[in-house]
Each structure stands twice: as structure tokens, then as C-alpha cells.
Amino acid sequence: TELCEFVQRAKFNRMGAFCYSAEEDTPAAEFDGQIEESVKQRRHEVIMAEQSVVNDKQAENQIGKVHTCLVEGYDRMNKCYFGRTKMDAPDIDGKIFFMSEDKHNAGDMVELKVYDRIDYDLLGEEI
């Protein structure tokens, strides 16, 4: 409960949590009172659910804002471009998806206004 309250107060922009796993030749791997895997998994689910609430609010706050986006590529299945803002780390954080009548290449910079979100990803329109 204390950790959940901290996550609610801290409002991390990005947060990940991982279950502890004993690593060979580490002192902690030999400690008595190791926690069962099911308890670890439940704790992980609870803390990430708390962070999900924070993420939802932060994503909602992005709607209407303009960001410079680094184009990473084109999604042929969804027929749109995708990229990242300066806030997003590659392969970890969400993306921003947008359609454009102009042809863009990976590495191009575009100005996008966020109009919606889907989970951790944003939807933008080129301006």
C-alpha cells in the first residue's frame, strides 16, 4: 500500500516494475524467506495498475499539445507513419502515429498536434 501511494503521489512520467529473480552468486539469492512467485506476480500487477492510472491521465493531458516528432517509419498495415517525441525512448516508450499526404522518411522531423491516444501511444495530425 505504501508503494502504491508513492506511485500515485510521484506521478512518474515513465515507470516499469519487475519481479525480483534470484541471480547466481548474489547474496540476496541465498537469503531466507524468499517470496513465492505468485506473490511477486500479484505485487507486480498491483503496482503496474497504479502506474496505468497515472499514464492514462498523462496521456489525456497531451491531447491538444504540439510536439516535434522524429519519424521512424511507415506502418503498412495501418497505413500511417509513426515516430517519437523527445519524451520517448526507442523500443520502450509509446509512439505517436499520424497520417500525411506528404512522403516522409525515417529521420525526418515533423510537427504534430495530438488529437487522441490509445493506451501508451498518441495519435497526431501534421501541422
Side-chain angles (χ1 to χ4, degrees):
T1 345
E2 190 174 325
L3 183 57
C4 289
E5 291 171 1
F6 174 70
V7 168
Q8 292 168 0
R9 284 192 318 273
K11 295 179 178 41
F12 294 105
N13 288 329
R14 307 284 193 269
M15 186 196 88
F18 305 90
C19 296
Y20 169 80
S21 58
E23 294 294 325
E24 189 177 340
D25 297 326
T26 60
E30 304 300 321
F31 287 172
D32 290 334
Q34 297 288 326
I35 296 171
E36 291 181 29
E37 198 62 36
S38 61
V39 173
K40 293 179 195 177
Q41 289 297 326
R42 177 69 185 128
R43 289 177 179 177
H44 178 263
E45 290 169 10
V46 167
I47 200 66
M48 291 310 295
E50 291 295 333
Q51 180 60 24
S52 180
V53 171
V54 173
N55 287 344
D56 287 346
K57 289 178 185 173
Q58 290 176 338
E60 284 292 324
N61 288 339
Q62 291 303 311
I63 294 174
K65 292 189 178 174
V66 174
H67 294 283
T68 301
C69 175
L70 172 67
V71 177
E72 290 188 316
Y74 184 79
D75 183 331
R76 293 177 198 261
M77 194 161 136
N78 293 307
K79 298 180 180 171
C80 65
Y81 291 95
F82 62 91
R84 301 200 179 270
T85 70
K86 65 182 178 182
M87 302 177 294
D88 303 314
D91 301 323
I92 297 172
D93 295 326
K95 298 177 181 173
I96 185 163
F97 292 91
F98 67 100
M99 293 184 180
S100 179
E101 293 180 14
D102 298 329
K103 181 172 178 1
H104 293 289
N105 297 305
D108 288 352
M109 302 296 281
V110 295
E111 294 291 312
L112 302 175
K113 184 175 183 177
V114 177
Y115 69 86
D116 204 354
R117 67 177 186 85
I118 300 172
D119 298 322
Y120 293 98
D121 298 318
L122 301 175
L123 304 177
E125 60 185 351
E126 195 171 8
I127 55 171

